[in-house]
Amino acid sequence: MDALAQTKQGIGIAHGKVILIGEHAVVYNMPAIALPFTAATVSVSIQPCTGESYIDSAYYTGPLASSEQLNHLHQMIQAVCTYLETSADGLYFTIDSSLPAERGVGSSAAVASATLRALCDYFDAELDEASFTHFVSISENMVHGQASGIDTEVIFQQSPIYFTKDQPPETLDLQLSGYLITADTGVTGSTKEAVADIQQLLIDYPTKTLEAIQQLGQLANQAKEVILSGNIKQLGQILSNSHLQLKQLTVSSPELDQLVFTALQAGALGAKLTGSGRGGCMIALAATEAEAQQIADALQQAGATQTWINSLGDSTDDNLY
Ligand code: MEV
């Protein structure tokens, strides 16, 4: 890299997301509630390089165009550079992430968002919200198959949202006295496969599958009501009920079920998988921080590879949003 090249740099940062309720059903126009997950972030930096663009990440290091694994990101970068009327060559991307990938906490949307922000910073460009979500969706649609857009939206937002596909999100004032525990099974799950399998279930077992999807939509609406009335106990029950519906849709896994069971045994008010499932993360609710810690400890003993505890209401530093 020459001296001039070293002066130019672009940086982008993005957080992940936790779906409180409504995953999968949201693909079929049911409402869902999602929270920004700021406990872990993705940071992307761009520096100039000679020749074709290059990417340096924990999952792949090499020429951007040669990565099958990161083809979704490559396609988004191409589209952004075409829009900005600039070359997509000569860019050296470095991705650093503390968000576990393929665990249902929005890593792919966060990587795409951080990359887009880094490109805007590098080329001194500004994008409005519609253009931002358009470009991130290019990547997300390739990763999810049939993405609802919830991950892209919540990663753009700073607050919890009540989301229905193709509608503007509603910001939710989440002021609950309670704690959310997120735990990672350590097992990766493919969103694309899980979404495609539910599509197939709708063909093979339409009545039962549609019923579960509609139930999930109703539970998301009930969750919104109890959040607004501040009833965390009822919210816990609703989350546990939604786990049963997600099981019915075949997107849970033995590891997720085990952690959900462990959390409930350890005193959680409710627990469920979060995100696309088949591995990835689960969430549990606790009334107090001490109880949350007890639940997190039990989850780790039961095999969770990582746990996070976040307040759901006050303005402490570990707040989720
Ligand atoms: C994945 O985070 C959420 C899903 O509902 C897929 C989507 O909405 O795009 C499983």
Side-chain angles (χ1 to χ4, degrees), residues 67-77 108 111-112 138-140 142-143:
S67 167
E68 244 178 68
Q69 216 181 348
L70 294 180
N71 186 29
H72 51 96
L73 205 59
H74 178 216
Q75 296 306 321
M76 185 196 78
I77 292 166
S108 62
V111 168
I138 293 176
S139 170
E140 279 298 275
M142 289 177 75
V143 178

Side-chain angles (χ1 to χ4, degrees), residues 17 19 22-27 104-106 140 144 146-151 163 191 194-195 274-277:
K17 64 96 202 341
I19 297 189
E23 50 274 270
H24 286 294
V26 69
V27 172
V105 283
E140 279 298 275
H144 287 197
Q146 198 192 344
S148 66
I150 190 168
D151 289 17
F163 176 91
T191 304
V195 169
T274 183
S276 57

Side-chain angles (χ1 to χ4, degrees), residues 133-215:
T133 47
H134 162 75
F135 286 121
V136 175
S137 302
I138 293 176
S139 170
E140 279 298 275
N141 284 332
M142 289 177 75
V143 178
H144 287 197
Q146 198 192 344
S148 66
I150 190 168
D151 289 17
T152 308
E153 192 58 55
V154 72
I155 280 160
F156 188 77
Q157 301 285 342
Q158 302 304 319
S159 339
I161 55 166
Y162 173 84
F163 176 91
T164 308
K165 193 174 166 182
D166 299 329
Q167 288 182 28
E170 245 178 74
T171 303
L172 270 188
D173 185 18
L174 188 59
Q175 288 298 334
L176 287 172
S177 110
Y179 291 81
L180 189 81
I181 304 107
T182 307
D184 186 359
T185 60
V187 179
T188 57
S190 159
T191 304
K192 199 171 190 166
E193 262 174 49
V195 169
D197 287 354
I198 292 183
Q199 240 176 320
Q200 189 58 44
L201 275 185
L202 265 170
I203 296 167
D204 297 340
Y205 308 100
T207 312
K208 230 168 77 178
T209 308
L210 201 61
E211 224 172 76
I213 289 173
Q214 283 167 346
Q215 276 289 331

Side-chain angles (χ1 to χ4, degrees), residues 217-294:
Q218 278 174 21
L219 288 167
N221 278 329
Q222 286 171 20
K224 182 184 176 191
E225 272 170 38
V226 302
I227 283 171
L228 295 177
S229 66
N231 192 332
I232 191 160
K233 263 195 176 165
Q234 257 180 317
L235 181 62
Q237 193 60 55
I238 291 168
L239 297 191
S240 293
N241 288 345
S242 86
H243 184 72
L244 298 178
Q245 298 300 330
L246 289 163
K247 257 174 88 104
Q248 178 86 13
L249 291 176
T250 75
V251 292
S252 192
S253 70
E255 293 84 359
L256 282 166
D257 289 344
Q258 176 60 39
L259 292 189
V260 165
F261 176 76
T262 302
L264 295 173
Q265 289 283 98
L269 301 171
K272 64 180 275 290
L273 70 86
T274 183
S276 57
R278 299 272 172 83
C281 291
M282 55 76 68
I283 52 173
L285 272 191
T288 66
E289 195 169 3
E291 282 165 8
Q293 192 55 61
Q294 240 173 15

